[in-house]
Structure formats: structure tokens, C-alpha cells
Amino acid sequence: MIYGYVRVSTREQNEERQIIALRAVSVPEENIFLDKQSGKDFQRPQYQKLVKKLKPDDLLYIKSIDRLGRNYGEILEQWRLLTKGRRVDIVVLDMPLLDTRRGKDLMGTFLSDIVLQVLSFVAENERTSIRQRQAEGIAAAKARGVRFGRPSRPLPEGYSSAYRRWKAGAISGAAAARECGMPLSTFRYRAAGFEDAQR
């Protein structure tokens, strides 16, 4: 039997490109399994369903190695589970060297394993780089004064007066918060921003 596996990381991403590639190699529509979730682990319902169906000598197509996942160790573990445990062949369409139907001898298996390890490492490395670039971008944006998250609600009328009296020790924080109709923790949190704005 011929199967295909498709994964997109979020519900908003489009899986059509992967499905078109699988149709081009004649994977039957009913044998295409699709998951819309992150590749960080293998707890994916359609992937699990597919693995249960696979029998020795079946053929599994995937568009690229990172469709299996992005964690180096886990990709290698799944590859071995499928090729050695389930004894199925895998073809990675974006990387013709990763076709277990070819070179079943020791040298072919050795070369395939080396390519797989390199590609798995590259996929994981790219994921790490993306996270690092995101963190750097967020830090740079924060340094420029860009605010993330929901905009703060406007301070209630009378906040300034309650804040000044609380700061002067005339009333307690709890009393000031009650006057403003907010929890004490929110009052104190907003006080820090209020102080910055007054400087």
C-alpha cells in the first residue's frame, strides 16, 4: 500500500502544496493523513492512525523531512521505528537521496542514515535559529518602545488622587484599590507605569 503524510504547524497554514506533491506520485486520496499541529512531538492523531495502518513493504511519502518533526532525536527515532520496526519504505520528495527503496545493501543504508542525520540536524538548527531571531526581534522592538499584548485599559477617574494619597501614606493600598474599583495587585502594577509616566 502507498501512503502519504502531511503536517502543517497551525490551522491557518495551507497544506495544499504538500497534498499536490503526494497526488503527483499517485498516493490515493484516502491514504493521505493530515495533522494540523506543531511538529514538536509525535502525539498527533492522524500520524498515530497512519503508523497503526502501516505494514511491512508499504510505502510512505512525505514532502520534506521536517514534516515528521523538528526535533533531531525524535525524527531519527521515528525514522527507525518506521523503517526498522514497521519495515516500511519512506520517500522524502524534497530530498531524493532519502528513498529507502534504493540501496538496500549496507552502503545504501549507511548513506541514507548519514543524509538523514544531517537533514534532521539542519531542520532542528533552523528551528532554533528562528526562535533566536524572534527573541532578538522582540527585544529590539521593546528597546524601541513597541508594546506587546493587549493595550492597557485607561486608568479609572480618581486614580491619580488615590495614587497620591496612597504614596503619601494617607490611605492603604487596599483602600486606594477599592476607590479605583480594581484588585490591589492591579493597582500596584498600574502604579509602576503611572510613576514612569509622571517622570
Side-chain angles (χ1 to χ4, degrees):
M1 293 287 282
I2 300 175
Y3 294 94
Y5 180 65
V6 173
R7 181 184 64 77
V8 288
S9 298
T10 64
R11 297 199 170 275
E12 290 73 40
Q13 286 182 343
N14 194 322
E15 66 277 5
E16 200 58 34
R17 187 177 60 89
Q18 293 177 63
I19 291 173
I20 288 167
L22 295 178
R23 285 178 186 145
V25 290
S26 304
V27 177
E29 208 71 33
E30 66 275 12
N31 287 357
I32 295 176
F33 291 77
L34 164 68
D35 277 311
K36 290 193 176 193
Q37 65 188 87
S38 166
K40 72 180 188 299
D41 60 44
F42 288 90
Q43 301 310 309
R44 299 176 237 140
Q46 290 301 305
Y47 180 76
Q48 296 299 336
K49 195 171 166 185
L50 166 65
V51 170
K52 284 181 185 151
K53 275 185 168 286
L54 292 170
K55 305 262 185 308
D57 300 321
D58 283 346
L59 175 59
L60 173 63
Y61 283 100
I62 55 175
K63 179 84 168 83
S64 59
I65 193 67
D66 65 354
R67 296 308 85 199
L68 278 181
R70 293 210 175 118
N71 177 289
Y72 175 63
E74 293 247 4
I75 291 174
L76 293 176
E77 184 186 320
Q78 289 302 308
W79 185 273
R80 291 191 180 110
L81 171 117
L82 296 168
T83 58
K84 309 272 193 302
R86 293 281 172 171
R87 300 198 324 269
V88 301
D89 280 310
I90 303 176
V91 176
V92 180
L93 296 171
D94 283 355
M95 181 53 62
L97 278 172
L98 285 179
D99 181 344
T100 60
R101 297 171 301 177
R102 286 196 218 135
K104 294 274 187 180
D105 61 355
L106 188 60
M107 183 54 79
T109 304
F110 176 68
L111 287 173
S112 183
D113 279 355
I114 287 175
V115 172
L116 171 67
Q117 291 202 31
V118 169
L119 288 176
S120 300
F121 173 76
V122 167
E124 183 176 1
N125 208 40
E126 179 59 20
R127 185 176 171 82
T128 303
S129 296
I130 288 168
R131 278 200 303 262
Q132 186 178 341
R133 286 195 299 269
Q134 283 174 334
E136 288 167 358
I138 289 168
K142 283 183 176 175
R144 290 192 315 270
V146 175
R147 306 266 320 228
F148 293 90
R150 286 189 313 206
S152 298
R153 286 185 177 165
L155 289 170
E157 209 173 301
Y159 183 88
S160 177
S161 164
Y163 169 82
R164 276 197 294 279
R165 285 183 288 127
W166 166 68
K167 203 69 178 161
I171 58 172
S172 69
R178 262 195 313 278
E179 269 186 39
C180 297
M182 57 175 58
L184 178 57
S185 58
T186 305
F187 178 84
R188 286 191 172 141
Y189 172 76
R190 298 300 295 272
F194 188 76
E195 281 172 26
D196 290 343
Q198 301 307 300
R199 286 179 189 146

